[in-house]
Amino acid sequence: MAEERKGAVTLRGSPLTLGGLELRPGQSAPDFTAVDTALKPVRLSEAKGKVIVLSSVPSLDTPTCDTETRRFNQEAAKLGSGVEVWTISRDLPFAQKRWCGAAGVTSVKTLSDFRERAFGPAYGVEIKDGPLAGLVARAVFVVGKDGKLRHVEYVKEIAAEPDYDAALAAAKSAAG
């Protein structure tokens, strides 16, 4: 049975269980494959040599996820070509593409974990119970050029936004 962390996060104060191990800065970022909006597989290992900000959200069609992804879209344009921001959810790629078009999001790569369901357990963000069971929790990971985690934030309250400043500072530092 995979590792489960009861009460690791909350949704409006109600505790939720997350599946997968809690990651820490300094560890190697687990490789995973997700699907982009053109249904093409994207592997983290293929981005070696770049700094990757992984923004995990339950669904782009919710207010906090919408706000977070728009904010990272604004910031991504300022980070330079050596840094990419990937927003990962279990939304279908078609829904992600529609949302990006409607929101004018062009600097963030949206990826879906719906097919392989590899990202959620590998990064310890798979929601196992409650009304969001089957989705991924809100978290931000910064992966350095060397494939090591430079920043890890599991957002304790899923309805809250992450610490953008800490994630962006880690990404800029990792980019050198």
Side-chain angles (χ1 to χ4, degrees):
M1 183 168 134
E3 171 90 12
E4 288 192 354
R5 301 177 345 265
K6 292 189 182 305
V9 296
T10 59
L11 177 61
R12 295 183 174 76
S14 297
L16 297 175
T17 301
L18 294 183
L21 294 173
E22 183 174 346
L23 301 178
R24 304 222 181 274
Q27 290 180 292
S28 291
D31 196 18
F32 66 91
T33 301
V35 179
D36 70 11
T37 58
L39 300 177
K40 290 188 174 77
V42 174
R43 285 183 67 104
L44 179 63
S45 58
E46 293 170 357
K48 206 156 189 94
K50 288 191 175 221
V51 174
I52 306 295
V53 177
L54 298 171
S55 169
S56 170
V57 300
S59 176
L60 290 171
D61 282 319
T62 61
T64 307
C65 301
D66 178 285
T67 299
E68 178 178 338
T69 306
R70 287 174 190 261
R71 170 75 186 270
F72 275 126
N73 185 62
Q74 289 174 330
E75 300 292 346
K78 304 175 200 167
L79 292 173
S81 61
V83 180
E84 292 184 7
V85 179
W86 298 0
T87 293
I88 303 170
S89 70
R90 289 213 170 139
D91 293 314
L92 292 176
F94 313 108
Q96 290 179 335
K97 187 174 186 175
R98 177 194 45 75
W99 181 87
C100 287
V105 168
T106 58
S107 297
V108 167
K109 183 184 292 189
T110 54
L111 299 173
S112 177
D113 190 37
F114 89 101
R115 184 183 291 161
E116 305 238 350
R117 296 186 175 267
F119 174 80
Y123 281 76
V125 294
E126 186 163 53
I127 301 171
K128 303 301 271 182
D129 56 9
L132 301 181
L135 300 181
V136 292
R138 186 176 319 286
V140 180
F141 307 90
V142 176
V143 182
K145 296 175 190 177
D146 59 358
K148 301 273 188 206
L149 291 168
R150 300 301 180 93
H151 171 82
V152 174
E153 179 189 8
Y154 292 94
V155 180
K156 184 68 179 159
E157 169 54 51
I158 288 180
E161 293 176 58
D163 183 343
Y164 300 108
D165 292 338
L168 294 167
K172 289 173 187 167
S173 172

